[in-house]
Amino acid sequence: MTRRSVTQVLALAAAQYVIAPSRADDGPTETDVSKEMILRDPATPSSGNPKGDLTIVVFFDYNCPYCKQSEPALEKLVKADGKIRLVYKDWPILTPDSIKGAQWALAAKYQDRYDHAHFAMMGIPGPRIPAERMREAIAKSGVDMDRLDADLQAHGDEITKLLRRNLAQADSLGLQGTPAYIVGDYRVTSALNYDGFKRVAADARARAAKK
């Protein structure tokens, strides 16, 4: 999918959930793509230590096999380190079903089950996972699906705007595909193993200490 097609599909998805028509001022602003919003958008899910000395931002797609390959190593580092704040940027650019998966995960956030939905979909092996299979995995993770659908209906406008911000932020950073990571001042655009994540985290801290 191109960036243009992602935007078009998001617009169609918005219409599906009775979201108000887009206005000229609905598009991402300069503030939306600021460093502060990339790191601390209040609508973006995060985990790890909220007061950590290092923030890692991960841009991912639920149909990206490389994202799935590297996520266990990243989660292991966050848990072992104890001082990392991890920010999840749902960036569904591969298929229309990726957008559905991102919408469901972000809707699950309203029942404090984003992590359940996220890990359920990331745990499905292979690329090009159909939406029906994603939904089945979310349901098995313990997410209340009736509430999820109701929250998606009620908060669809907010979710669509967040996905648009994520897309704009990725574009502002010059990202070309998933996975992509912002680790302190470093940008990493390939999947890493545990040692790779550990090394770049150490480099980012060392660089910050010199400032």
Side-chain angles (χ1 to χ4, degrees), residues 48-202:
N49 187 339
K51 296 182 179 180
D53 64 353
L54 177 65
T55 295
I56 297 179
V57 181
V58 52
F59 288 83
F60 65 92
D61 185 301
Y62 289 115
N63 274 307
C64 169
Y66 303 105
C67 300
K68 296 175 183 180
Q69 173 186 322
S70 62
E71 179 166 86
L74 177 58
E75 297 291 344
K76 178 181 177 181
L77 175 67
V78 172
K79 185 176 181 179
D81 184 282
K83 296 181 180 179
I84 293 175
R85 176 175 170 268
L86 180 58
V87 177
Y88 299 100
K89 295 287 185 179
D90 288 84
W91 188 31
I93 58 173
L94 296 179
T95 76
D97 285 343
S98 298
I99 296 176
K100 291 182 180 179
Q103 289 175 318
W104 287 329
L106 292 169
K109 183 186 68 170
Y110 292 94
Q111 56 178 287
D112 295 323
R113 291 292 185 273
Y114 175 84
D115 56 341
H116 289 60
H118 174 82
F119 291 123
M121 288 186 283
M122 292 296 274
I124 304 173
R128 304 257 171 202
I129 307 302
E132 295 77 10
R133 191 174 176 192
M134 291 183 187
R135 189 173 174 87
E136 289 173 1
I138 295 171
K140 290 179 180 178
S141 75
V143 172
D144 182 331
M145 300 305 287
D146 289 337
R147 179 173 174 183
L148 182 143
D149 290 336
D151 283 333
L152 185 54
Q153 179 73 36
H155 302 285
D157 192 16
E158 300 162 42
I159 291 169
T160 296
K161 287 180 178 178
L162 174 57
L163 291 174
R164 287 174 176 163
R165 285 201 300 276
N166 290 351
L167 178 63
Q169 290 168 7
D171 283 344
S172 74
L173 292 166
L175 304 181
Q176 298 298 313
T178 56
Y181 309 92
I182 307 301
V183 185
D185 288 340
Y186 291 100
R187 182 178 62 179
V188 180
T189 56
S190 61
L192 297 177
N193 59 19
Y194 179 77
D195 288 339
F197 281 122
K198 188 175 181 179
R199 184 165 52 251
V200 73

